[in-house]
Amino acid sequence: MNDSIWDWERAWDVLPDLLRGLVVTIEATVVGMVIAAVLGLFIALAMRAPSRWVRLPLKFVVDFIRMTPLLVQLVFVYLLSPPEVPALAIGFAVLGVHYATYMSEVYRAGIEAVPPGQWEAATALNMARARTWRAVIMPQAIRNTLPGLGNYAISMFKETPFLFAIGIVEMYTEAQSYGANTFSYIEPLTMVGLLFLVISYPTSLLVRRMEIRLA
């Protein structure tokens, strides 16, 4: 490749900064996924409540979050939060809540995929409703949702660059900072893309393999 376009020295020079940003990126993805997975399950269960006073307001909130951009949500929550709240904590929370609304649909589909015979068998055995959910329904439902949760984990990982909007220095911000200081953007941005690919692609293969096995 033409040295005037690509400089390997600059590429290796920016790599430590990008790896430091990668740690923040992975941290945000992991914590955000934990929040999203737990909260999404609670949303899915709450949406099955018999009371419309529970379902309708919750559905409005879920639809509102889904229909507004993640970037706007990050900035809006950041501006409304007290100054003492760390930006990274805000990023964790917004990522988690945003993706929880999508994961709730994955959980809903997983629950509905449990054969009706499982419910009937639990009823025939006179199992308590709480125990039926805990011991029969949820293990099968979560097993069915694992591929979907994995796909959303990859999507969240790829959307962490939006955290730059609230001052969090992750991979993309590190690349932009390096480019602003050296007037060389090709190397850092290319390296960012490669790092995302190195992590996302094997994960997507794992999720695809999981889908095949569960099918």
Side-chain angles (χ1 to χ4, degrees):
M1 185 176 291
N2 191 330
D3 289 339
S4 64
I5 298 176
W6 178 270
D7 189 325
W8 281 106
E9 185 176 345
R10 285 196 293 262
W12 292 118
D13 185 47
V14 73
L15 185 58
D17 294 338
L18 298 183
L19 292 177
R20 185 168 59 248
L22 178 61
V23 172
V24 178
T25 298
I26 293 175
E27 184 180 12
T29 304
V30 171
V31 177
M33 271 298 299
V34 171
I35 295 172
V38 174
L39 182 58
L41 179 57
F42 278 109
I43 293 174
L45 295 176
M47 292 292 283
R48 296 176 62 89
S51 173
R52 295 176 56 193
W53 296 105
V54 174
R55 295 196 316 271
L56 294 181
L58 184 58
K59 186 176 187 307
F60 172 79
V61 173
V62 167
D63 288 343
F64 178 82
I65 293 174
R66 285 181 190 162
M67 294 177 186
T68 53
L70 175 60
L71 180 60
V72 174
Q73 294 171 15
L74 282 166
V75 175
F76 185 76
V77 175
Y78 178 75
L79 293 176
L80 291 182
S81 298
E84 58 270 17
V85 178
L88 194 56
I90 295 172
F92 291 162
V94 174
L95 279 172
V97 172
H98 183 85
Y99 274 90
T101 60
Y102 292 98
M103 290 187 182
S104 65
E105 283 298 302
V106 177
Y107 283 121
R108 181 192 60 78
I111 292 170
E112 292 180 356
V114 176
Q118 299 292 316
W119 295 92
E120 296 168 1
T123 303
L125 292 172
N126 202 27
M127 294 177 66
R129 187 169 180 81
R131 189 183 175 193
T132 299
W133 276 99
R134 186 177 64 253
V136 179
I137 305 303
M138 291 312 302
Q140 296 181 66
I142 291 177
R143 179 174 177 270
N144 294 334
T145 63
L146 288 177
L149 298 182
N151 286 325
Y152 278 123
I154 296 172
S155 295
M156 184 186 294
F157 177 67
K158 292 188 295 184
E159 289 198 333
T160 52
F162 285 136
L163 296 175
F164 85 93
I166 58 174
I168 297 175
V169 182
E170 36 64 60
M171 272 200 302
Y172 178 77
T173 308
E174 291 281 10
Q176 288 280 37
S177 177
Y178 182 88
N181 292 329
T182 63
F183 303 101
S184 299
Y185 288 92
I186 292 178
E187 292 85 3
L189 292 179
T190 302
M191 296 289 284
V192 167
L194 289 174
L195 286 171
F196 271 111
L197 180 64
V198 164
I199 295 177
S200 296
Y201 185 65
T203 306
S204 67
L205 292 179
L206 180 62
V207 170
R208 193 176 308 162
R209 184 176 180 182
M210 190 185 305
E211 289 176 345
I212 295 172
R213 291 191 63 182
L214 292 179

